[in-house]
Amino acid sequence: MGVSAAADGSKWALKNGWLARSTTGLWDVNSIGRVTGTDGDEYLVAVLSKGSTTQAGGITLIEAAAKAGVAAFAETAASSTSASATATD
């Protein structure tokens, strides 16, 4: 649950937090941690949200954001490595 959704297998450490606001009933859901992506690199990821109508909805949002963030950095790293290899060939 949380940023661990972006990890490859069981290589992750995280701290999750959630709070239903008493005045609005909306949820603040947060997740911070370290994950190892499918590219084998480690990423420090923090996703903070507020205003989700349900706890489950907030968790789904956090997980989607973590996956998108790690995928974007992994993609950037892969194209940088590919470009470097091409430039030196």
Side-chain angles (χ1 to χ4, degrees), residues 39 41 43 71-85:
D39 60 354
D41 288 343
Y43 298 92
F73 278 99
E75 203 172 276
T76 300
S79 55
S80 293
T81 302
S82 176
S84 294

Side-chain angles (χ1 to χ4, degrees), residues 13-40:
L14 75 145
K15 171 66 175 123
N16 293 324
W18 47 87
L19 172 68
R21 298 306 226 166
S22 59
T23 56
T24 63
L26 299 176
W27 285 85
D28 294 346
V29 180
N30 306 308
S31 185
I32 301 167
R34 176 189 47 79
V35 300
T36 301
T38 56
D39 60 354

Side-chain angles (χ1 to χ4, degrees), residues 3 8-9 26 29 32 34 37 49-50 52 60 67 84 87 89:
V3 299
D8 179 29
L26 299 176
V29 180
I32 301 167
R34 176 189 47 79
S49 72
K50 70 176 197 173
S52 295
T60 299
K67 287 177 184 177
S84 294
D89 289 345

